[in-house]
């Protein structure tokens, strides 16, 4: 009746004398020893009598002491008079007596032969299931009492631990005998000698099951760990005592537990409570190092977000501190790599239907994985991983995740925390096969499902602490997923490159798994959603403070940086798959938070991410980060130069390039960031890295489309010098070319007036020699440089004053480096110099330079043959804005007006009265002068659209007519420059001046001699003769402009003493005599006048082809006919046949009769005839 009546048990507590019962039991043991040793009674009969007393005592203790509301203290008012430690002291005496009389210290290696009476009786008693059951039940009841109970003092005794260890040994010995079919020994379990020898409780023997015994023992083992975790040691206790924290992890009963636990689970599969206790025991071992009594635990080793330290997953690996010693229970005794532990937990997750059991298993797995990850991080030996078994565990975790919606809400919240933590730490194993095996399970899809399930409704998770903790672990999981996946991908690529494979699979298989499961945009989108559930939620979450945000933002930034680095290497980022607006808005929030927390404006982590985004063509929808990048790169918030400044400058340059090529993204207001562009150029000088200097400079070049930028840079001598000097820099040179060109278009004066700038432009042109990898770019740069030179010359208000001698000489000496395609523009520059500068300067510098004379003569002679030339079709103005293009067009028109020969200084003598000016060519129907400049035409892009509306080509199509115009221009320019530079107008009355000029012209004569030796005038006359023949045969059409230039050059050669020696040869005169009639017939008074004077100077009256033409056409050129015929009559060197003389006389008579001659002509005619007759 005592055992089944709780009321009776509670009522008897105050009258129950534990010491008397213990004394009676001890007395029965002593009496039994005498009966065996003295009375020689049978030991089993004596042991049965002791059994009755021992079992009765244990039964009474279990009922009366532990069936109270407050075990060990009693519930009645009368029990309050009993001292609080009375029961605990009595129980300690009980365990001491049991240890002594049951010989519990010998249970590890019991002897069955040659035993004393005491040992024999103890062996019989401990082999009885009833004694074992009640002993382990007492152990369980004592240790299961609350930690604040007085019974903890019983647990923290050596006798208690001896009893617990002995109980394990006795139970294992009994189970071994059962497995070996040897049978078990229960005292008088069956009546064999009548009722007198039958045990009083033999009828209840079937109720004593070994499975219950093991359940009691597992509870005792588990609570021995928990009391060490939460009950601090007393001051008098020494560290070696078995119940203390430092002794528990090395205690033999825990170390040996896995030798028998798998066997009992297999033996008692129908007993689910046993598996539950095994899971609880393993879970206690897994959380052992998170208890408050664990020494040297780091400040963040336990996460107390909800104040529940008992069921939070450990956070090893999160802080990097952890326990300074190896956690033996977690990484050795109950390590997840132990096959038995891994099998037990995996099977529970796969088959468990008890929510509490699943939750405990998830907690155990989470902590054990965390400890293993931390151990692998700190220990470089790297234990081998059972990949298949761990992959099976992940599949089981995935199954739990899928079943979470069916679990009770509180348990499901716990399970999601534990499973997230498990996956996160398993990714930290730093193993390529393990990472791929985990990702191959598809567990990420289950994670996304649970995220949607719990956070679609922000109020579904009741506890705000759990809400914050789950999201924190989710972000950590995604961070590890990204970092571990990228690292594994790199390792697999390296294996593939060296041709190695692992036992777990080939590199190709690993790469495919990683490609399928590391979805950059998908991971970023999920992280953005998770963070917005923290920062953009209507729910107030007290746990989300600044420290919390620091942690989750750091995880996010590390993940983003890792993924963007991967996409940068693989060129695989698909921004269209990303929710760019939310992503950009979240980065803005992070930047503001980090700046508020650290007061560091140049956030290195964030700037690196912005660089990777910008490099991969991320289109910013807002101007926030554009302004931020500009401010970091070019703001005045720092004293010295920083690497972050360079990186931001690179970003700004890339963004400006994107926007200039059709991007419709936002732009930043440069004026708000850079107020003084000259000062900005000064700061470039302090940039140590040339490549970083490049990105700053590149952005400045982009700004050069703004007139304000050109004003500030050009007006500052130091800034302009930096820009011009960088023309010679191999890295920055091409950008300086563009900037200098833009300055020359609108702000040319500083370039022109500062001595040496144009010289550097010439040197830069010279350095861009043919043969580079990018030939098109090289040609474009040379065109820009030559255009800059030309712009400065053309736009000058007073070129003779503004152009320095050094720059003039450099421009002239550039002639030997100018490519054929650039000859027209170069000749235009030279021609303008000749027209705008004083003749004394040009005569001193230009013709005396032998390469220049050779170039002019060469191009003049080559163009006389009118061979086809391929023109340069690069659009040198493609980077100019519409406003600047309009301004440049106005300046171009002004330059063309200056280019016209009518505005230049004449190289010819004054025309005779009544004739057309020799300075201004007759307006030709084709050629230079009527049509727009070739360069102006090339500025106007031709957009050819195909049938689908796309651009087909943007290169200029140069017609044959344009080629002819190009050739005519070169022909004209070469002749004009040559004649301008060599024209001399001396005072015949001052012989000293003539002598001095002759000495000064000696270099010019030498240069011309070298030029004509290499390119003789005979070639020019021969080419001209060929062109005339083709024209006469209607196979070519000579333009009026071509004829003017040719006539002028011939005239100059005979009127200039420096040219005449190279022209005055018999062969040249013969050709010229053949060409003169053609020039005289040309319907242009200018050409006819020049040909007439050339014929007179050259003495062509000696050639019949000329005189015969004049005889036949005296009416068209009466003055010339008069002069030439009379010269022929009076010249003793002229050989005339009688018939010719007669014709000359007849023509003279006709000239007098027709009255076509002037008074001077009549006098000349009369005198000539007179002398001729004489």
């Amino acid at each position: 009746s005592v055992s089944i009546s709780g009321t009776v048990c509670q009522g008897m507590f105050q009258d129950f004398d534990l010491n008397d019962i213990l004394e009676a039991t001890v007395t029965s043991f002593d009496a039994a020893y005498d009966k065996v040793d003295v009375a020689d009674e049978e030991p089993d009969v004596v042991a049965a009598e002791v059994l009755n007393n021992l079992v009765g005592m244990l039964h009474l203790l279990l009922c009366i002491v532990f069936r109270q509301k407050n075990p060990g203290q009693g519930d009645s008012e009368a029990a309050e008079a009993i001292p609080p430690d009375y029961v605990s002291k009595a129980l300690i005496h009980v365990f001491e007596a049991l240890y002594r009389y049951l010989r519990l210290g010998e249970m590890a290696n019991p002897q069955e032969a040659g035993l004393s009476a005491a040992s024999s009786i103890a062996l019989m008693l401990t082999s009885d299931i009833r004694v074992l059951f009640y002993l382990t039940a007492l152990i369980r009841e004592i240790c299961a009492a609350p930690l604040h109970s007085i019974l903890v003092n019983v647990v923290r005794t050596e006798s208690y631990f001896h009893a617990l260890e002995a109980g394990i040994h006795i139970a294992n010995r009994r189970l071994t005998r059962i497995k070996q079919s040897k049978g078990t020994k229960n005292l008088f379990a069956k009546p064999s000698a009548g009722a007198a020898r039958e045990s009083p409780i033999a009828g209840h023997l079937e109720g004593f099951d070994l499975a219950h015994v093991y359940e009691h023992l597992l509870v005792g083992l588990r609570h021995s760990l928990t009391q060490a975790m939460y009950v601090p040691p007393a001051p008098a206790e020494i560290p070696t005592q078995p119940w203390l924290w430092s002794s528990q992890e090395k205690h033999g009963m825990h170390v040996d537990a896995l030798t028998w636990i798998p066997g009992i689970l297999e033996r008692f599969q129908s007993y689910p409570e046993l598996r539950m206790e095994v899971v609880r025991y393993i879970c206690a071992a897994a959380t052992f190092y998170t208890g408050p009594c664990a020494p040297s635990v780091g400040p963040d080793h336990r996460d107390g977000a909800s104040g529940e330290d008992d069921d939070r997953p450990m956070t090893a690996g999160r802080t990097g501190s952890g326990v300074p010693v190896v956690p033996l229970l977690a990484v050795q005794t109950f390590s997840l790599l132990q096959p038995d532990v891994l099998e037990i937990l995996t099977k529970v997750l796969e088959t468990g239907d008890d929510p509490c059991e699943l939750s405990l298993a998830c907690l155990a797995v989470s902590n054990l994985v965390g400890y293993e990850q931390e151990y692998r991080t700190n220990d470089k030996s790297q234990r081998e991983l059972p990949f298949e078994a761990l992959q099976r565990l992940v599949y089981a975790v995935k199954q739990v995740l899928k079943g979470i919606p069916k679990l009770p809400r509180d348990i499901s919240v716990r399970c999601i925390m534990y499973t997230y933590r498990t996956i996160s730490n398993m990714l930290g194993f730093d193993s390529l096969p393990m990472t791929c095996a985990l990702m191959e399970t598809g567990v990420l899809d289950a994670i996304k499902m649970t995220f949607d399930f719990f956070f679609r409704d922000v109020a579904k998770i009741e506890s705000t602490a759990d809400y914050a903790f789950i999201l924190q672990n989710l972000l950590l999981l995604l961070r590890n997923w990204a970092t571990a996946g990228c690292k594994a991908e790199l390792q697999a690529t390296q294996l593939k490159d060296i041709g190695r494979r692992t036992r777990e699979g080939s590199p190709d298989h690993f790469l495919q798994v990683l490609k399928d499961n590391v979805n950059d945009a998908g991971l970023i989108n999920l992280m953005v959603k998770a963070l917005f559930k923290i920062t953009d939620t209507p729910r107030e979450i007290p746990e989300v403070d600044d420290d919390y945000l620091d942690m989750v933002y750091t995880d996010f930034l590390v993940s983003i940086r890792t993924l963007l680095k991967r996409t940068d290497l693989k060129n695989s980022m698909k921004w269209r798959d990303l929710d760019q607006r939310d992503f950009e808005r979240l980065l803005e929030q992070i930047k503001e938070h980090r700046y508020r927390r650290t007061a560091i404006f140049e956030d290195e982590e964030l700037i690196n991410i912005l660089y990777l985004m910008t490099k991969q063509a991320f289109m910013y929808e807002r101007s926030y980060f554009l302004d931020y990048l500009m401010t970091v790169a070019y703001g005045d918030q720092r004293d010295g130069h920083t690497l972050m400044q360079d990186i931001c400058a690179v970003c700004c340059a890339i963004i400006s390039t994107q926007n200039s090529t059709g991007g419709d993204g936002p732009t930043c207001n440069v004026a708000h960031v850079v107020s003084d562009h000259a000062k900005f150029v000064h700061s470039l000088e302090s940039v140590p890295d040339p490549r970083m200097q490049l990105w700053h400079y590149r952005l400045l070049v982009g700004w050069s489309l703004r007139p304000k930028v050109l004003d500030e840079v050009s007006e500052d001598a130091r800034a302009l010098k930096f820009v011009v000097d960088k023309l010679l820099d191999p890295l920055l040179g091409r950008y300086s070319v563009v900037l200098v060109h833009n300055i020359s278009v609108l702000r040319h004066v500083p370039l022109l007036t500062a001595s040496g700038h144009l010289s550097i432009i010439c040197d830069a042109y010279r350095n861009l020699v043919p043969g580079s990898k990018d030939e098109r770019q090289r040609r474009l740069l040379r065109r820009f440089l030559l255009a800059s030179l030309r712009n400065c010359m053309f736009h000058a208000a007073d070129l003779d004053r503004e152009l320095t001698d050094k720059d003039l000489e450099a421009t002239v000496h550039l002639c030997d480096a100018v490519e054929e395609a650039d000859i027209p523009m170069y000749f235009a520059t030279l021609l303008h110099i000749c027209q705008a500068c004083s003749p004394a300067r040009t005569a001193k510098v230009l013709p005396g330079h032998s390469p220049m004379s050779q170039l002019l003569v060469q191009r003049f002679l080559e163009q006389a043959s009118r061979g086809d030339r391929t023109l340069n079709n690069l659009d040198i103005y493609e980077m100019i804005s519409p406003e600047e293009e309009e301004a440049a067009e106005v300046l171009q028109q002004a330059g063309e007006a200056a280019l016209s020969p009518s505005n230049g200084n004449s190289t010819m003598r004054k025309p005779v009265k009544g004739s057309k000016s020799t300075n201004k060519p007759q307006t030709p129907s084709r050629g230079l002068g009527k049509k727009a400049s070739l360069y102006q035409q090339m500025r106007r892009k031709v957009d050819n659209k195909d049938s689908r509306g796309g651009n087909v080509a943007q290169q200029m199509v140069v017609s044959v007519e344009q080629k002819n115009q190009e050739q005519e221009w070169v022909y004209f320019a070469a002749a004009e420059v040559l004649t301008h530079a060599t024209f001399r107008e001396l005072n015949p009355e001052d012989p000293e001046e003539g002598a001095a000029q002759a000495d000064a012209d000696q270099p010019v004569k030498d240069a011309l001699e070298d030029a004509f030796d290499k390119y003789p005038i005979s070639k020019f006359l021969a080419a001209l003769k060929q062109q005339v023949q083709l024209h006469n045969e209607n196979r070519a059409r000579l333009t009026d402009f071509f004829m003017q230039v040719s006539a002028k050059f011939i005239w100059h050669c005979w009127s200039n003493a420096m040219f005449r020696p190279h022209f005055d040869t018999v062969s040249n005169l013969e050709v010229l005599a053949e060409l003169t009639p053609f020039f005289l017939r040309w319907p242009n008074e200018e050409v006819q006048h020049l040909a007439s004077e050339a014929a007179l100077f050259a003495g062509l009256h000696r050639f019949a082809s000329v005189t015969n033409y004049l005889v036949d056409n005296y009416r068209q050129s009466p003055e010339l006919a008069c002069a030439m015929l009379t010269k022929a009559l009076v010249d003793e060197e002229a050989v005339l046949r009688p018939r010719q003389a007669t014709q000359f006389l007849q023509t003279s008579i006709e000239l007098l009769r027709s009255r076509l001659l002037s008074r001077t002509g009549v006098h000349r005619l009369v005198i000539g005839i007179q002398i001729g007759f004489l």
Side-chain angles (χ1 to χ4, degrees), residues 1108-1122:
N1108 290 339
Y1109 171 79
L1110 293 174
V1111 168
D1112 296 336
N1113 300 275
Y1114 66 90
R1115 291 184 178 274
Q1116 282 73 27
S1117 304
E1119 295 289 343
L1120 178 62
C1122 174

Side-chain angles (χ1 to χ4, degrees), residues 1049-1123:
F1049 181 75
I1050 294 172
W1051 174 88
H1052 182 77
C1053 288
W1054 280 103
S1055 64
N1056 191 293
M1058 291 182 286
F1059 284 82
R1060 192 178 304 116
H1062 306 287
F1063 204 109
D1064 192 6
T1065 63
V1066 175
S1067 58
N1068 289 345
L1069 291 175
E1070 289 176 353
V1071 177
L1072 182 59
E1074 295 180 14
L1075 294 175
T1076 299
F1078 182 79
F1079 279 95
L1080 294 175
R1081 286 195 303 267
W1082 191 260
N1084 186 297
E1085 294 182 8
E1086 179 92 13
V1087 175
Q1088 295 173 4
H1089 174 76
L1090 293 172
S1092 300
E1093 293 198 354
L1096 291 172
F1097 294 156
L1100 297 185
H1101 59 277
R1102 302 186 184 96
F1103 296 90
S1105 58
V1106 177
T1107 56
N1108 290 339
Y1109 171 79
L1110 293 174
V1111 168
D1112 296 336
N1113 300 275
Y1114 66 90
R1115 291 184 178 274
Q1116 282 73 27
S1117 304
E1119 295 289 343
L1120 178 62
C1122 174

Side-chain angles (χ1 to χ4, degrees), residues 282 285-286 314 329-331 334-336 341 345 363-373 429:
I282 296 176
M314 57 79 62
L329 278 178
V331 299
F334 292 96
S335 169
L336 192 67
V341 175
L345 294 176
L363 174 59
V365 170
S366 172
N367 283 8
L368 292 178
V369 170
Y371 283 118
E372 180 63 28
Q373 185 271 336
F429 281 179

Side-chain angles (χ1 to χ4, degrees), residues 346-560:
T346 302
K347 186 171 291 186
V348 170
L349 296 178
E350 289 176 339
T351 62
D353 53 2
D354 185 337
C356 294
E357 187 181 46
L358 282 176
S359 177
L360 290 171
C362 289
L363 174 59
V365 170
S366 172
N367 283 8
L368 292 178
V369 170
Y371 283 118
E372 180 63 28
Q373 185 271 336
E374 184 180 35
Y375 178 73
R376 295 176 71 83
T377 301
N378 298 329
D379 181 25
K380 304 303 180 182
S381 61
Q382 296 294 312
R383 298 185 292 185
E384 185 175 355
L385 293 171
F387 299 109
E388 294 183 0
L390 289 174
Q391 187 181 44
R392 179 187 166 198
L393 174 65
V394 177
Y395 274 115
V397 171
K398 176 184 175 182
Q399 180 177 328
V400 172
L401 286 172
K402 289 184 175 180
I404 275 181
K406 301 178 182 178
L407 296 176
R409 183 59 50 82
D410 291 342
I411 292 179
S412 65
V413 170
R414 292 289 177 271
C415 286
I416 194 174
M417 288 191 294
Y418 305 150
T419 51
Y420 283 2
R421 197 68 187 159
T422 297
I423 302 301
S424 178
N425 283 318
M426 198 172 288
L427 287 167
F429 281 179
D430 192 18
S431 168
L432 169 62
M434 186 66 250
T435 301
C436 294
L438 185 150
M439 292 185 175
E440 199 173 14
T441 62
V443 69
L444 187 60
D445 294 333
I447 292 172
K448 293 178 182 177
M449 181 274 293
T450 55
F451 173 76
D452 292 337
F453 173 76
F454 279 106
F455 293 98
R456 184 172 298 168
D457 180 3
V458 295
K460 183 171 288 188
I461 299 178
E462 183 177 354
S463 169
T464 57
D466 291 340
Y467 182 97
F469 190 75
I470 291 174
L471 289 174
Q472 178 186 350
N473 280 275
L474 174 61
L475 289 167
L476 179 61
L477 185 155
L478 296 176
R479 166 184 172 169
N480 289 353
W481 191 282
T483 54
C486 293
K487 185 173 182 179
E489 192 171 51
L490 180 61
Q491 294 172 344
T493 302
Q494 293 173 345
L495 289 177
K496 184 177 180 179
D497 292 340
I498 63 177
R500 286 185 56 189
R501 60 175 294 138
T502 64
R503 292 178 299 174
E504 293 76 21
S506 65
D508 290 333
H509 170 70
F510 293 148
L511 289 173
Q512 186 61 43
V513 171
L514 294 168
K515 179 182 177 181
D516 295 339
N517 291 277
V518 183
N519 183 346
D520 309 293
L523 289 173
I524 295 176
N525 284 336
L526 184 56
M527 285 187 282
V528 171
K529 290 180 181 178
L531 274 173
F532 274 134
K533 292 298 180 181
I534 298 172
T535 62
D536 191 13
T537 176
R539 186 174 183 180
E540 184 177 354
I541 307 174
E543 291 76 13
V544 178
D545 54 10
D546 286 338
D547 292 334
Y548 178 93
L549 290 176
D550 289 343
M551 187 177 298
V552 296
Y553 283 161
T554 300
D555 288 341
F556 177 74
L557 293 179
V558 170
S559 306
I560 297 302

Side-chain angles (χ1 to χ4, degrees), residues 930-989:
K930 287 293 287 184
K931 290 187 175 294
S933 166
L934 292 177
Y935 316 108
Q936 185 178 0
Q937 292 177 22
M938 284 192 289
R939 289 209 309 268
R940 299 169 183 152
K941 296 183 179 179
V942 178
D943 294 332
N944 295 325
K945 305 288 186 177
D946 60 8
S947 57
R948 295 170 296 178
N951 288 332
V952 177
Q954 293 186 352
Q955 293 185 345
M956 297 299 299
V957 180
V958 184
S959 65
V960 175
E961 182 178 356
Q962 288 174 312
K963 292 181 181 180
N964 291 337
Q965 294 174 8
E966 178 91 358
Q967 292 173 339
E968 287 182 350
W969 164 247
V970 173
Y971 188 60
F972 162 75
E976 282 291 298
V977 172
L978 201 57
T979 55
H980 264 287
T982 56
F983 179 74
R984 301 291 184 266
E985 192 171 14
L986 302 176
N987 184 5
E989 298 179 358

Side-chain angles (χ1 to χ4, degrees), residues 638 640-647 681-696 722 726 729 731-732:
R638 74 183 64 77
H641 181 79
T642 65
L643 178 61
M644 295 301 102
Q645 182 182 3
D646 293 334
I647 296 176
V681 176
H682 298 167
S683 67
L684 288 181
E685 298 175 341
S686 63
V687 177
D689 189 347
R691 294 192 175 275
M692 292 297 101
Q693 193 179 57
L694 166 64
W695 290 103
H696 293 282
F722 176 86
K726 289 303 176 180
D729 189 283
L731 196 60
L732 304 182

Side-chain angles (χ1 to χ4, degrees), residues 748-934:
H748 70 283
V749 175
L751 272 178
L752 181 62
T753 55
S755 178
H757 286 350
L758 299 188
S759 301
I760 295 178
I761 293 177
C762 295
D763 292 340
Y765 182 96
R766 190 182 299 275
N767 292 342
L768 292 169
V769 295
S772 63
K773 294 181 179 179
D774 191 347
E775 182 63 16
R776 177 177 173 84
Q777 182 185 90
R778 186 195 68 82
R779 284 292 309 122
L780 183 60
L781 293 177
R782 275 200 159 185
R783 294 287 286 183
F784 271 122
L785 287 168
L786 206 55
S788 303
L789 203 63
R790 181 199 63 180
N791 293 341
C792 291
M793 305 296 183
F794 277 22
H795 299 167
D798 187 353
L799 183 62
D800 193 30
R801 179 180 56 84
E802 296 174 349
L803 181 61
T804 65
D805 291 339
K806 178 181 178 181
D807 291 336
L808 174 59
E809 184 177 353
T811 305
V812 172
H813 288 186
L814 183 63
C815 62
D816 59 346
V818 177
E819 295 182 66
E820 183 176 356
D822 295 334
I823 288 294
M825 189 184 296
Y826 181 64
F827 279 6
T829 304
L830 293 177
L831 182 58
H832 187 72
I833 291 174
C834 291
Q835 294 172 341
C837 293
S838 64
R841 292 185 69 188
T842 57
K844 179 180 178 181
V845 177
L846 197 148
H849 184 57
S850 181
M852 171 60 73
S853 298
Q854 291 185 27
L855 176 65
L856 293 171
V857 173
Q858 174 193 359
R859 293 302 174 181
F860 181 76
L861 299 185
E862 287 180 354
Q863 297 302 332
S865 65
R866 299 184 61 82
D868 289 342
R869 296 286 187 270
T870 300
L871 305 185
N872 180 55
N873 59 353
L874 297 178
D875 186 0
I876 66 172
Y877 286 93
E878 61 183 340
M879 301 181 71
I880 295 181
S881 65
E883 295 79 9
E884 292 168 332
E885 182 175 354
E886 182 178 355
E889 188 167 351
V890 174
L891 294 173
Q892 176 68 24
Q893 292 172 357
E896 290 170 358
L899 186 64
S900 173
S902 61
N903 294 333
N905 294 328
S906 175
T907 64
M908 306 178 187
R909 66 176 179 84
K910 296 181 180 180
V912 297
K913 186 177 180 179
S915 65
K916 296 293 184 180
S917 172
T918 59
N919 298 345
K920 181 178 180 181
Q922 194 74 8
T923 302
S925 58
R926 290 289 188 270
L928 190 76
K930 287 293 287 184
K931 290 187 175 294
S933 166
L934 292 177

